[in-house]
Amino acid sequence: MARPHGNGVQEYDKGIPGTTRRSLLAGLAAVGVLGASGCTRVATASDVEGGELLDRLRAQGVARLGIAGEPPFGYIDKNGKLTGEEPKLAEVIFKRLGVDRVQPVPTEFGSLIPGLNSQQFDVVAAGMYVNPERCEQVIFSDPDYQMLDAFIVAKGNPKGLHNYQDVVAKKARFSTGTGYADIQYAVEAGYKRSDILIVPDQVAGLNAVEAGRADVFAGTAIACRLVAENSRKVEVTKPFAPLVGGEPHVDGGAFAFRPTETKLRDAFNVELHKLKKSGELARILRSFGFTEAEMTDLTAKELCGGGAG
């Protein structure tokens, strides 16, 4: 059931909506072409310095949130209700900014940045990792959380897989999600890109390990914990920092805004930092399974490489 992906990576062809959030494609068009306009900021309708979106949102009383359907970041629950740490946090902050409610706009992860820049929604609330590629296309709030990686492996971890170097050394069958940063982490460790089994989301990754199609599925520590908690066939490894350029790397997730909307982003940041200082941010995130280890003082500027954002 595998078919060639646009970049030569195997993709598990299953009809599960895309729910990935860690795309290295940085919001490129869903055709999967690498490198297309990756360094171009997209113009929007507003030519007011700092943007006028915040004023418009206050007037209309609702902010549209782009979400990618991945627990615990932003998703629609079994009762059809919007939930997740990003929508909840957005709801709190937007109320502080004078916007009464938020409205979800579900889409695939790879469509989040194009959808934002084409004004299909007002902000990306999907726990999107901040990285230099994305910082060329959108601007970010400061991260509201940081995250390590983890593996879903068979019970007992028979191959002893604890990091990407182990996967390479032990020739394990490696799987991760569409566009996940884990793809690059594995490649940097020496894994052949074309041998990676790409699945739509962490649920499909769990299924691949349970069924023996993969020895390991890589994802965020919290998503792996949540998806595997009721499985009798698998376990989740201890969280770890992948190596980037030979150094341990910690990712940070944040809200994304159109490049012209600095007024909204800056106002959002002010309220975010108030929540951090008061402890309210930690309380909100704990209710979705985050721990003290996921709290962060990382900034968008440092994750963008000291440049945009």
Side-chain angles (χ1 to χ4, degrees):
M1 297 182 70
R3 58 183 174 85
H5 192 263
N7 58 5
V9 182
Q10 288 183 308
E11 182 171 3
Y12 181 61
D13 192 6
K14 187 172 181 179
I16 300 176
T19 59
T20 57
R21 52 183 271 285
R22 313 180 63 206
S23 176
L24 289 172
L25 304 185
L28 298 177
V31 293
V33 180
L34 295 176
S37 65
C39 294
T40 303
R41 290 192 181 277
V42 181
T44 65
S46 174
D47 56 3
V48 177
E49 185 174 358
E52 57 186 357
L53 180 56
L54 179 56
D55 295 329
R56 288 196 282 114
L57 296 182
R58 284 169 172 162
Q60 66 195 31
V62 59
R64 299 167 302 161
L65 308 180
I67 65 170
E70 182 180 3
F73 303 102
Y75 60 103
I76 307 298
D77 68 15
K78 61 183 179 182
N79 297 317
K81 182 181 178 182
L82 173 65
T83 188
E85 62 93 12
E86 296 280 289
K88 179 61 179 176
L89 183 54
E91 180 181 35
V92 170
I93 291 178
F94 274 114
K95 282 186 177 180
R96 288 173 171 236
L97 294 176
V99 183
D100 292 335
R101 64 188 181 91
V102 296
Q103 173 185 320
V105 182
T107 187
E108 293 188 356
F109 189 88
S111 299
L112 283 169
I113 288 180
L116 175 69
N117 282 326
S118 63
Q119 303 191 50
Q120 295 176 31
F121 34 83
D122 303 308
V123 57
V124 172
M128 182 176 281
Y129 278 4
V130 182
N131 63 38
E133 293 81 9
R134 293 192 181 116
C135 294
E136 292 295 331
Q137 300 176 78
V138 297
I139 55 174
F140 285 98
S141 67
D142 285 331
D144 46 275
Y145 74 92
Q146 66 182 26
M147 188 61 62
L148 297 175
D149 282 6
F151 291 159
I152 296 176
V153 295
K155 207 76 171 178
N157 196 1
K159 288 186 176 289
L161 305 174
H162 301 284
N163 54 49
Y164 296 100
Q165 289 69 34
D166 289 343
V167 171
V168 173
K170 299 181 181 183
K171 296 181 171 55
R173 293 170 298 168
F174 178 76
S175 175
T176 190
T178 306
Y180 278 23
D182 308 86
I183 296 171
Q184 187 57 38
Y185 298 153
V187 170
E188 182 156 342
Y191 203 87
K192 189 176 179 181
R193 183 181 291 267
S194 60
D195 288 342
I196 299 173
L197 173 65
I198 301 296
V199 296
D201 56 22
Q202 70 270 26
V203 174
L206 169 72
N207 293 339
V209 176
E210 287 186 329
R213 293 190 300 273
D215 297 313
V216 56
F217 172 82
T220 65
I222 192 168
C224 288
R225 288 199 304 263
L226 289 173
V227 75
E229 62 184 354
N230 295 319
S231 174
R232 297 181 179 180
K233 296 182 178 180
V234 303
E235 63 183 58
V236 177
T237 64
K238 182 179 178 180
F240 66 95
L243 297 181
V244 175
E247 297 293 330
H249 175 76
V250 178
D251 285 295
F255 293 81
F257 305 83
R258 287 190 285 277
T260 54
E261 301 298 341
T262 56
K263 180 180 177 181
L264 174 57
R265 188 276 309 272
D266 292 347
F268 195 96
N269 257 347
V270 168
E271 299 304 327
L272 174 64
H273 284 284
K274 288 179 182 177
L275 293 174
K276 285 186 178 183
K277 186 174 181 179
S278 70
E280 179 70 3
L281 175 63
R283 186 194 66 79
I284 293 171
L285 267 61
R286 277 198 300 269
S287 67
F288 292 98
F290 289 75
T291 69
E292 190 63 32
E294 277 90 52
M295 302 301 106
T296 186
D297 291 321
L298 288 169
T299 66
K301 184 176 182 179
E302 61 187 298
L303 291 174
C304 285

